[in-house]
Amino acid sequence: QTDSVASNLCIGVHAVTVTDNNDCSIADSTIITYNTYVNANAGLDTSICQDDSITMVAFGGTNYEWFYIGDSIAFSNNDTISFAPPALGNNQYMLVASEATCSDTDSVSIYMISVNIEAGPDVSIHEGTCAALNATGGVYYSWTPIETLNDPGIANPEACPIETTTYYLTATNDSGCPATDSLTVIVIHGIPDGITPNGDNYNDVWELSMLNFYPESAVRIYNRWGEKVFESKRGDKYST
């Protein structure tokens, strides 16, 4: 400042030089103390898992502004904020703490760890066979239900369900971040070898749901005397 009266000075040592009309000058200094001390504290740098939220608490002033470094507009004016960082990797924030006419700044880095746990695609098997599951992205695995798995604690257990079953995976990566995923093992049952459409509610309907996996198949039905009573065109199981 160049005026004879200085204003808006913060605490600390301030030097002054006075020069008269004869270009003679003298220097002096003064110490300004204040009842309060602004020392912005945004907290420690830390890491969190992907999609998790974090709570940060500001100290050191009475008024606060939080900025995402690179932005000029504060996204919060609260001392305590809870949010999910917008990007994987390093996210940097700046805190401006102030009181009266004095202010101070601090910065903090929040590193968001990528989590990419995959149970794998759905799979179809024939009745009486098994499927090899193959999860990725973790170091610790836990599958449920466990009854039809040979080892629910590994990435690639063998699943041998007798009915279509959805398996749920909980896994943890090498940074200790957990995630969940699931897949379904579709069991294709064998083709029934007989039908008795006599209205007794037993084998009255012949359901060939597995034909969806064989779109070019043809179906023929013979009676007990070997006479053909039904035939579908190839690829059209509903025609006679």
Side-chain angles (χ1 to χ4, degrees):
Q1 299 185 30
T2 59
D3 295 332
S4 61
V5 177
S7 60
N8 297 326
L9 297 178
C10 291
I11 60 174
V13 178
H14 295 268
V16 60
T17 301
V18 179
T19 304
D20 64 15
N21 293 331
N22 296 317
D23 204 24
C24 295
S25 62
I26 186 172
D28 198 2
S29 64
T30 186
I31 299 175
I32 298 178
T33 59
Y34 193 61
N35 291 332
T36 59
Y37 179 65
V38 178
N39 183 21
N41 185 346
L44 299 175
D45 297 344
T46 190
S47 298
I48 64 172
C49 299
Q50 183 176 350
D51 298 328
D52 282 354
S53 295
I54 187 171
T55 297
M56 297 196 297
V57 182
F59 297 98
T62 55
N63 301 297
Y64 301 97
E65 291 180 299
W66 291 95
F67 296 84
Y68 191 83
I69 289 184
D71 290 348
S72 59
I73 300 176
F75 66 85
S76 177
N77 299 102
N78 299 320
D79 59 344
T80 302
I81 57 174
S82 297
F83 66 101
L88 294 173
N90 199 34
N91 296 267
Q92 292 186 308
Y93 301 89
M94 182 176 70
L95 169 69
V96 178
S98 62
E99 183 171 350
T101 60
C102 298
S103 65
D104 188 32
T105 63
D106 191 23
S107 63
V108 62
S109 294
I110 308 299
Y111 191 90
M112 180 175 282
I113 302 169
S114 175
V115 182
N116 188 25
I117 303 296
E118 297 285 347
D122 294 346
V123 62
S124 297
I125 62 173
H126 289 281
E127 183 179 8
T129 63
C130 300
L133 310 186
N134 188 26
T136 58
V139 292
Y140 300 104
Y141 298 90
S142 177
W143 295 88
T144 57
I146 66 174
E147 289 77 14
T148 52
L149 298 174
N150 67 330
D151 189 344
I154 61 175
N156 54 345
E158 187 177 62
C160 304
I162 59 175
E163 298 290 343
T164 296
T165 302
T166 297
Y167 293 94
Y168 298 92
L169 170 68
T170 299
T172 304
N173 67 11
D174 55 4
S175 296
C177 294
T180 59
D181 197 14
S182 66
L183 63 78
T184 299
V185 176
I186 303 168
V187 178
I188 303 171
H189 295 284
I191 299 176
D193 58 4
I195 180 174
T196 56
N198 56 6
D200 63 355
N201 294 321
Y202 182 75
N203 286 337
D204 284 338
V205 179
W206 193 24
E207 296 182 356
L208 302 178
S209 58
M210 75 290 296
L211 289 185
N212 293 326
F213 298 94
Y214 307 98
E216 296 302 316
S217 61
V219 176
R220 299 181 183 90
I221 301 176
Y222 297 84
N223 63 20
R224 69 179 63 184
W225 298 284
E227 299 169 335
K228 184 170 63 177
V229 296
F230 173 85
E231 180 177 8
S232 73
K233 297 177 182 178
R234 183 176 297 276
D236 185 2
K237 60 181 178 291
Y238 301 108
S239 298
T240 57

